[in-house]
Amino acid sequence: MNTLFKSKVSRKSVQPNPEERIPKTIEIKSISHVTAMSQTSSPLQLPPRVFEPCWPGLTGANWRAELTACSLPGGDVKTWRADLRPLDVEFMRRLSKVVNIVPVIAKADTLTLEERDDFKQTIREELRANGIDVYPQKEFDEDAEDRLINDKIREMIPFAVVGSDQEYQVNGKRILGRKTKWGTIEVENIAHCEFAYLRDLLIRTHMQNIKDITGSIHYETYRVRRLNESNGHFSSHLSDHPDAQQKANGQPEQQPGGPHANGVAAQHEALSHEM
């Protein structure tokens, strides 16, 4: 995120003072950030990031065990796998129902070009095999030209990226990159990684389309599902209370003392049903 917006979006990149340290808590916290893409552009409001498990069943020890990196002999950390874990599959399957998913290979400089291509192909095959639809979805292509552009993006997914918010001097230019013993990896150089393609997709060419699909497709689908769940719960609640069920079906409630008791209330209820 810091690389994408050339800003200190991630709180991990900022060293807080002792009195500013974020306390340990089990409460849900959200973080938002406003950044300007250029001196002439209007501020961009990044949505809050809410820190919570994605579904209730995956918590506690199982959650921590699944997210723990695999330590290798010598203290190295395994940064990538040749396939998707069951957790990855379930996570993306559920997430794809409510948001647009754009898969990336982080720290892509740890792979050779051959390993990167093989890894990309493996991920694409597993996404298809598990029915995980990632952005840009084929069903939302508007025309032949749109489909041609999006097909090129789909062939590139997952994007192999390198992130850094450090600048270095390379050939007389200041560039974002990662300095290694054998040279400097340039974040925005397409010969080194695909970060430039990812950035263009997210905040230049497809930003409005992503927002439209999120609002008109994902949110509406989620809203309808929650309304149906609420209606089902309400119907179940009514079935346990015959008097309330009678009202829901449009039948006036019988008042003590017979049908003519409390006549004003009865007439008002009848008028309400007629209206």
Side-chain angles (χ1 to χ4, degrees):
M1 293 296 290
N2 291 342
T3 310
L4 186 63
F5 295 102
K6 294 184 178 180
S7 180
K8 302 297 184 181
V9 177
S10 171
R11 70 184 183 194
K12 291 183 179 180
S13 64
V14 180
Q15 295 297 328
N17 296 326
E19 63 272 11
E20 296 176 346
R21 292 188 182 278
I22 300 174
K24 293 182 179 181
T25 177
I26 59 174
E27 296 179 358
I28 296 174
K29 301 291 184 180
S30 65
I31 297 176
S32 61
H33 188 82
V34 178
T35 183
M37 301 309 295
S38 69
Q39 292 181 348
T40 59
S41 64
S42 58
L44 175 66
Q45 174 71 48
L46 301 185
R49 295 177 290 136
V50 179
F51 299 92
E52 61 176 329
C54 291
W55 62 91
L58 194 58
T59 55
N62 291 336
W63 173 257
R64 291 190 296 272
E66 289 287 359
L67 295 186
T68 301
C70 300
S71 297
L72 300 179
D76 294 334
V77 175
K78 189 173 184 180
T79 57
W80 65 281
R81 295 173 58 93
D83 57 2
L84 294 176
R85 299 171 298 174
L87 173 65
D88 300 326
V89 173
E90 185 64 16
F91 181 88
M92 287 192 287
R93 180 185 289 119
R94 298 197 181 203
L95 205 61
S96 65
K97 301 295 191 297
V98 292
V99 297
N100 294 300
I101 292 181
V102 180
V104 300
I105 300 174
K107 301 181 181 179
D109 54 314
T110 62
L111 306 175
T112 66
L113 294 179
E114 292 76 15
E115 289 173 338
R116 191 177 79 176
D117 291 341
D118 290 343
F119 194 27
K120 279 173 165 278
Q121 182 62 29
T122 299
I123 296 301
R124 284 195 293 265
E125 290 175 355
E126 294 204 19
L127 289 173
R128 284 193 293 268
N130 289 283
I132 299 171
D133 207 10
V134 299
Y135 184 86
Q137 300 91 333
K138 289 185 178 181
E139 60 266 32
F140 301 143
D141 292 344
E142 296 181 358
D143 50 41
E145 182 180 359
D146 196 34
R147 187 177 305 111
L148 183 63
I149 294 173
N150 288 342
D151 279 343
K152 292 181 180 179
I153 296 172
R154 284 186 278 262
E155 291 173 2
M156 197 176 298
I157 286 175
F159 292 96
V161 300
V162 176
S164 174
D165 52 11
Q166 299 296 315
E167 288 190 343
Y168 297 94
Q169 192 82 15
V170 176
N171 298 326
K173 297 180 179 179
R174 299 290 295 178
I175 59 97
L176 284 176
R178 294 185 63 243
K179 198 171 185 61
T180 66
K181 294 179 181 179
W182 52 87
T184 302
I185 301 163
E186 301 176 31
V187 168
E188 296 178 295
N189 188 337
I190 59 175
H192 292 189
C193 73
E194 297 171 338
F195 172 79
Y197 295 117
L198 173 66
R199 178 192 58 203
D200 289 348
L201 173 74
L202 294 180
I203 63 177
R204 291 182 179 172
T205 60
H206 287 63
M207 185 177 186
Q208 186 59 48
N209 185 250
I210 291 173
K211 292 170 63 178
D212 291 342
I213 291 177
T214 298
S216 62
I217 304 297
H218 291 306
Y219 174 72
E220 285 303 314
T221 301
Y222 170 80
R223 188 175 68 88
V224 169
R225 178 171 61 83
R226 292 304 302 268
L227 286 173
N228 288 338
E229 291 174 355
S230 298
N231 290 338
H233 177 74
F234 180 66
S235 298
S236 176
H237 180 71
L238 286 179
S239 64
D240 297 332
H241 299 78
D243 292 342
Q245 182 68 51
Q246 192 176 45
K247 283 186 177 181
N249 292 334
Q251 300 175 12
E253 182 181 8
Q254 295 294 331
Q255 299 292 335
H260 298 291
N262 197 6
V264 175
Q267 291 178 21
H268 177 73
E269 185 175 356
L271 287 173
S272 298
H273 287 300
E274 290 176 4
M275 294 174 66

